[in-house]
Amino acid sequence: MTHSFRFRLLLAFALVIAVVIGTVSLFVARSAAGRIHEYQLQSNETRSARMQSVLSGYYAGRGEWTGIQPFVEQMGTLYGQRIIVVDSNGVVVADSHEGFLGRPPDPRWSGRALPTPPPPVPGAPGGAGQPGTLYINPEAASEADSISVQSLASSIDRFLLWGGLLAVGLAMVFTTFLSRRISAPVRALTSAARRVGQGDFSQRVDIRGKDEVAELARTFNSMANDLTRAEELRRNLVADAAHELRTPLSNIRGYLEAVRDGLMQPDASTLDSVYEEVLLLSKLVEELQELSLADAGELKLVRQPEDLSELIQKAAGAVQAAIKAKGLSLTVDLADGLPLCHIDSHRIGQVLRNLLDNAVAHTPAGGAIAITAVEQGNWVEVAVADTGEGIPAEDLPNVFERFYRVDKSRARATGGSGLGLTIAKRLVEAHGGKIGVQSEPGKGSRFAFTVSRAEQASSDLGDMEV
């Protein structure tokens, strides 16, 4: 429970709210205390000035403090403070609490001198004399102010605390709802991933929204699709490899049993037939080994600047015999001034031979094959086009898959092991290039691949592991 995503999300929300409320409470309490203290000082100053003005006016009107006691008591009740008036002789003439009447003031008190009243007639000399001194809350005034400020600050803190607790409660409700919505797709992904790990590649998750979780779900579904396809290819690989190996092995076994039973003589013709089957078997094993090296990233290339035109001419010459035997025509059209290319000549020659062998195998007598090469920016494109039977649109995405054949009969006359185009794709990609096909049934096919120019390639011309 404590390790669940929902609990951690809830805890995170609660901690964030607690930190925010605590920080706000601290700053609000300090700021409020300062403001309240300033307000109290200003309010006290205003009341003191008003009291001074009233008392000075009272003294100016009578010239003495006789009868001031009831007036001071009313004033103390009105303002809620203790008010003491001392005359010019230093004797308390009025006390709102009556405790110091007729006594001298405490020397520790701090009072305010009452202003001298103006003369009764403007311009007349003198006035009523010095009235005396005013004392407001002379005992523990600062302590009372401090208690008042602390009380108000405490009230503010209590409001913030209750507000924070309410916010935490609402956050818990909101987080519970939110965490369910967030964790639900995560739980679905976890369950689907667990089943995929157990071998059920049919698992998919629903995609809702456009957030990061939805993107994760899309990525998972894409991965599941890739795993499904990889599993299908693996099964096909096992079945196809077994089929391809079974044919030459069955032929070899048949020849040997016939010789053993005396049905055939171990003459040169029989040995040649057995040797041909062995060569087919050896070639298939070599191709499978080459593909395994490419898949494992251990295919070694010796790349250096090479003349691609010369390499194309050599590949064309190597298939001349097959071209003539089948009654085909071959043309080579190379752009002028083709640059040197940074390639492994043996591997690119292998790509060209695989494409040419494929074109010869699928082009009927009287057809034509053309090799072209053109410069395209930092790349050189080489294409092998034929006027053969073409490839149906539904088969085009799979022609570079291992053991895939458009002709499902797997007749020897229609192709080799079904690995030639797969090997060609791996070798081109190992050079950093791309290979593709364009085809239309009944009109032929065009296979094209690209290799980089020598001056655009890496300066490392030694052995490179791909």
Side-chain angles (χ1 to χ4, degrees):
M1 175 63 182
T2 58
H3 297 288
S4 67
F5 174 75
R6 184 183 303 177
F7 177 80
R8 286 184 289 174
L9 187 62
L10 181 62
L11 182 62
F13 268 93
L15 288 176
V16 169
I17 292 174
V19 170
V20 171
I21 293 297
T23 304
V24 171
S25 176
L26 176 63
F27 282 99
V28 168
R30 290 192 175 184
S31 177
R35 294 290 183 179
I36 293 169
H37 185 65
E38 291 178 4
Y39 174 77
Q40 282 186 329
L41 291 178
Q42 185 178 3
S43 178
N44 290 338
E45 188 67 29
T46 301
R47 284 197 297 268
S48 297
R50 188 178 298 116
M51 291 180 192
Q52 286 178 291
S53 177
V54 171
L55 293 172
S56 179
Y58 181 92
Y59 184 80
R62 292 172 173 75
E64 58 183 1
W65 291 112
T66 304
I68 191 62
Q69 177 62 27
F71 187 77
V72 169
E73 290 179 359
Q74 293 178 1
M75 189 179 296
T77 303
L78 176 65
Y79 289 113
Q81 293 178 313
R82 184 170 187 175
I83 302 172
I84 295 175
V85 179
V86 178
D87 63 10
S88 57
N89 297 321
V91 178
V92 175
V93 294
D95 182 357
S96 60
H97 289 187
E98 301 181 357
F100 290 102
L101 286 174
R103 294 169 54 184
D106 193 319
R108 294 174 297 175
W109 295 355
S110 176
R112 296 169 177 265
L114 294 172
T116 302
V121 179
Q130 174 63 38
T133 306
L134 170 66
Y135 296 90
I136 302 175
N137 290 340
E139 296 175 328
S142 59
E143 181 180 350
D145 292 345
S146 176
I147 293 175
S148 176
V149 172
Q150 291 178 359
S151 176
L152 186 56
S154 298
S155 299
I156 294 175
D157 287 340
R158 283 195 298 273
F159 278 112
L160 288 174
L161 176 61
W162 285 111
L165 292 176
L166 178 61
V168 170
L170 293 176
M172 293 177 70
V173 174
F174 175 73
T175 304
T176 301
F177 172 75
L178 182 64
S179 62
R180 286 181 179 177
R181 292 191 58 118
I182 294 177
S183 61
V186 175
R187 288 197 302 271
L189 278 169
T190 302
S191 177
R194 185 180 296 111
R195 294 182 181 180
V196 168
Q198 295 171 352
D200 183 6
F201 299 131
S202 64
Q203 293 296 314
R204 301 293 184 274
V205 293
D206 293 334
I207 301 174
R208 298 178 181 178
K210 298 181 180 179
D211 55 9
E212 291 81 356
V213 177
E215 181 63 26
L216 179 61
R218 277 189 287 271
T219 303
F220 175 85
N221 288 342
S222 177
M223 178 198 69
N225 291 333
D226 293 341
L227 288 174
T228 301
R229 180 169 178 77
E231 177 64 14
E232 182 181 355
L233 290 176
R234 184 190 66 80
R235 292 175 180 175
N236 292 338
L237 171 62
V238 173
D240 293 340
H243 177 86
E244 295 295 337
L245 291 171
R246 185 184 301 113
T247 301
L249 287 174
S250 297
N251 291 338
I252 293 172
R253 179 181 177 181
Y255 284 125
L256 293 177
E257 287 180 350
V259 170
R260 185 190 63 182
D261 296 339
L263 300 177
M264 295 182 64
Q265 296 297 319
D267 52 16
S269 176
T270 303
L271 293 177
D272 287 343
S273 297
V274 174
Y275 182 67
E276 181 181 351
E277 296 298 332
V278 171
L279 288 179
L280 289 173
L281 187 60
S282 177
K283 181 181 179 182
L284 177 61
V285 172
E286 289 176 358
E287 289 177 342
L288 286 172
Q289 183 180 13
E290 196 164 23
L291 275 178
S292 67
L293 289 175
D295 291 340
E298 297 178 357
L299 190 64
K300 291 185 178 294
L301 301 179
V302 181
R303 300 177 65 179
Q304 57 187 8
E306 296 283 355
D307 186 350
L308 192 59
S309 300
E310 181 180 350
L311 193 62
I312 293 173
Q313 293 292 353
K314 287 182 180 179
V319 297
Q320 283 295 337
I323 292 288
K324 291 180 180 180
K326 200 169 182 180
L328 306 175
S329 64
L330 175 64
T331 60
V332 178
D333 184 12
L334 307 179
D336 295 333
L338 284 178
L340 297 179
C341 293
H342 191 61
I343 58 175
D344 183 324
S345 59
H346 172 70
R347 297 299 188 181
I348 295 301
Q350 186 178 355
V351 173
L352 286 168
R353 289 191 296 273
N354 284 344
L355 295 181
L356 287 171
D357 289 343
N358 185 71
V360 171
H362 294 281
T363 303
I369 299 174
I371 306 175
T372 59
V374 294
E375 185 177 357
Q376 294 182 346
N378 297 331
W379 302 86
V380 175
E381 182 191 70
V382 181
V384 176
D386 62 61
T387 58
E389 61 214 33
I391 304 172
E394 62 271 17
D395 291 315
L396 278 176
N398 303 313
V399 294
F400 292 106
E401 299 294 343
R402 62 190 69 193
F403 292 117
Y404 188 85
R405 287 176 174 173
V406 177
D407 179 12
K408 302 301 187 293
S409 67
R410 296 184 175 275
R412 288 286 179 188
T414 60
S417 63
L419 296 175
L421 291 178
T422 306
I423 293 175
K425 183 175 185 293
R426 295 289 191 276
L427 293 177
V428 171
E429 290 177 345
H431 281 79
K434 296 180 180 180
I435 187 170
V437 59
Q438 297 173 336
S439 185
E440 186 176 348
K443 294 186 179 181
S445 305
R446 181 180 184 272
F447 288 84
F449 66 91
T450 57
V451 290
S452 61
R453 294 171 39 156
E455 57 268 26
Q456 298 297 330
S458 172
S459 59
D460 182 8
L461 303 180
D463 290 353
M464 183 179 73
E465 187 173 307
V466 179

